[in-house]
Coordinates of all heavy atoms in Angstrom, one line a residue:
R395 N 4.2 -1.4 4.8 CA 3.3 -0.4 5.3 C 2.0 -1.1 5.8 O 1.4 -0.8 6.9 CB 3.0 0.6 4.3 CG 2.0 1.7 4.7 CD 2.0 2.9 3.8 NE 3.1 3.7 3.9 CZ 4.2 3.7 3.1 NH1 4.1 2.9 2.0 NH2 5.2 4.5 3.3
R396 N 1.4 -2.0 5.0 CA 0.2 -2.7 5.4 C 0.5 -3.6 6.6 O -0.4 -3.8 7.5 CB -0.3 -3.6 4.3 CG -0.9 -2.7 3.2 CD -1.6 -3.6 2.1 NE -2.8 -4.3 2.6 CZ -3.5 -5.1 1.9 NH1 -3.2 -5.4 0.7 NH2 -4.6 -5.7 2.4
L397 N 1.7 -4.1 6.8 CA 2.0 -5.0 7.9 C 2.6 -4.3 9.1 O 2.9 -4.9 10.1 CB 3.0 -6.1 7.4 CG 2.4 -7.1 6.4 CD1 3.5 -7.8 5.6 CD2 1.6 -8.1 7.1
N398 N 2.8 -3.0 8.9 CA 3.3 -2.1 10.0 C 4.6 -2.6 10.5 O 4.9 -2.6 11.7 CB 2.3 -2.0 11.1 CG 2.6 -0.8 12.0 OD1 3.0 0.2 11.6 ND2 2.3 -1.0 13.3
T399 N 5.5 -2.9 9.5 CA 6.9 -3.3 9.9 C 7.8 -2.1 9.7 O 8.1 -1.7 8.6 CB 7.4 -4.4 9.0 OG1 6.4 -5.5 9.1 CG2 8.7 -4.9 9.5
R400 N 8.1 -1.4 10.8 CA 8.8 -0.1 10.8 C 10.3 -0.2 10.8 O 10.9 -1.2 11.2 CB 8.3 0.7 12.0 CG 6.8 0.8 12.1 CD 6.3 1.9 11.3 NE 6.7 3.2 11.8 CZ 6.1 3.9 12.8 NH1 5.0 3.3 13.3 NH2 6.5 5.0 13.2
Y401 N 10.9 0.8 10.3 CA 12.4 0.9 10.2 C 12.9 1.8 11.4 O 12.3 2.9 11.6 CB 12.8 1.5 8.9 CG 14.3 1.9 8.8 CD1 15.2 0.9 8.7 CD2 14.7 3.2 8.9 CE1 16.6 1.3 8.6 CE2 16.0 3.6 8.8 CZ 17.0 2.6 8.6 OH 18.3 2.9 8.5
G402 N 13.9 1.4 12.1 CA 14.5 2.2 13.1 C 14.0 1.9 14.5 O 13.5 0.8 14.8
Q403 N 14.3 2.8 15.4 CA 13.9 2.6 16.8 C 12.6 3.4 17.1 O 12.4 4.4 16.5 CB 15.0 3.2 17.8 CG 16.3 2.5 17.6 CD 16.4 1.1 18.1 OE1 15.5 0.7 18.8 NE2 17.5 0.4 17.9
K404 N 11.8 2.9 18.0 CA 10.5 3.5 18.3 C 10.8 4.8 19.1 O 11.5 4.9 20.1 CB 9.6 2.6 19.2 CG 8.2 3.1 19.4 CD 7.4 2.1 20.1 CE 5.9 2.6 20.2 NZ 5.1 1.6 20.9
K405 N 10.2 5.9 18.5 CA 10.4 7.3 19.1 C 9.1 8.0 19.3 O 8.3 8.0 18.4 CB 11.3 8.1 18.2 CG 12.7 7.5 18.0 CD 13.5 8.4 17.0 CE 14.8 7.7 16.6 NZ 15.5 8.5 15.6
S406 N 8.9 8.6 20.5 CA 7.6 9.2 20.7 C 7.5 10.5 20.0 O 6.4 11.0 19.7 CB 7.5 9.5 22.3 OG 8.6 10.3 22.7
N407 N 8.6 11.2 19.6 CA 8.5 12.5 18.9 C 8.8 12.4 17.4 O 9.2 13.3 16.8 CB 9.6 13.4 19.5 CG 11.0 12.9 19.4 OD1 11.2 11.7 19.1 ND2 12.0 13.8 19.7
E408 N 8.6 11.2 16.9 CA 8.9 11.0 15.4 C 7.8 11.7 14.6 O 6.6 11.6 14.8 CB 8.9 9.5 15.1 CG 9.3 9.1 13.7 CD 9.2 7.6 13.4 OE1 8.2 7.0 13.9 OE2 10.1 7.1 12.8
H409 N 8.3 12.4 13.6 CA 7.4 13.1 12.7 C 7.1 12.3 11.4 O 6.0 12.4 10.8 CB 8.0 14.5 12.4 CG 8.1 15.4 13.6 ND1 7.0 15.9 14.2 CD2 9.2 15.9 14.2 CE1 7.4 16.6 15.2 NE2 8.7 16.6 15.3

Side-chain angles (χ1 to χ4, degrees):
R395 182 169 283 101
R396 288 186 69 181
L397 292 158
N398 196 34
T399 307
R400 303 279 289 279
Y401 170 76
Q403 302 286 354
K404 189 172 184 178
K405 300 174 184 176
S406 59
N407 61 345
E408 185 184 41
H409 296 292

